[in-house]
Amino acid sequence: MVLEPRTFTLAERLSEAGQRHLRQSNPWMLVALSETDSEPNACFAPDNRPNASGIARAMEAGITGWHSSEHGVEVLLWVSPDAGYNVVLRPDGPDLKGSVFVWGMGGGYREIDEVVTATYVGPPDLEPCLRVIEDEATLGVTRN
C-alpha cells in the first residue's frame, strides 16, 4: 500500500492501456473516487503471503484514496454499488496496523476479524502498484 501526500491523475501515472484496463476491470473503485470529487492519492498491491486470509488475499493491485480521520488513516480498498471494504490504520510502532470494516448485503457497516499491517519501507513509490496494472493490461487480464 502506498499513501501519497498529494493526489495524482490516472493520465499522469498510467499508460492509456493501463487506464483503460483499470476502468474495465475495476470500475467501482474509480466510481468511488469520482463520487467524492477527489483524485486518487494511494495505490495497493497486497503482499499475498501463503498464510494470508480474508478479503485482502483475493485483491489485486488498485488505485484508491486515503484520508485522515479522527479514527486514523482510512483507506478504501474495494467498493461496489452495494458493498465495500475499508481499512482504518493507526500507528503501531514503526508500522500502521488496521481494523477492517465491510458493508453491504443488509449487514450494515461493521468490523470484521481481519487485520491489515502496513510497514514503512521508504518514501512513497507508486511504481510497484502501477506496474501490476500495466502488466495486467499487457497480458489482457480481466478481474470482473
Side-chain angles (χ1 to χ4, degrees), residues 96-114:
L96 294 174
K97 190 171 263 187
S99 301
V100 176
F101 297 86
V102 297
W103 63 93
M105 303 297 262
Y109 188 79
R110 66 193 185 287
E111 187 172 359
I112 61 173
D113 189 26
E114 283 188 29

Side-chain angles (χ1 to χ4, degrees), residues 60-142:
E60 301 295 336
I63 304 287
T64 190
W66 71 272
H67 69 275
S68 182
S69 77
E70 64 204 50
H71 306 291
V73 174
E74 296 191 31
V75 185
L76 180 64
L77 294 181
W78 181 80
V79 68
S80 74
D82 62 353
Y85 181 91
N86 191 50
V87 176
V88 179
L89 301 162
R90 293 172 211 80
D92 183 42
D95 300 328
L96 294 174
K97 190 171 263 187
S99 301
V100 176
F101 297 86
V102 297
W103 63 93
M105 303 297 262
Y109 188 79
R110 66 193 185 287
E111 187 172 359
I112 61 173
D113 189 26
E114 283 188 29
V115 175
V116 172
T117 301
T119 301
Y120 180 79
V121 295
D125 180 8
L126 296 170
E127 292 312 310
C129 304
L130 301 177
R131 192 172 322 118
V132 171
I133 294 166
E134 295 286 4
D135 288 349
E136 284 183 351
T138 300
L139 296 171
V141 173
T142 57

Side-chain angles (χ1 to χ4, degrees), residues 17-28:
Q19 293 174 62
R20 186 172 45 257
H21 171 70
L22 189 60
R23 286 188 182 97
Q24 292 171 349
S25 70
N26 200 359
W28 299 117

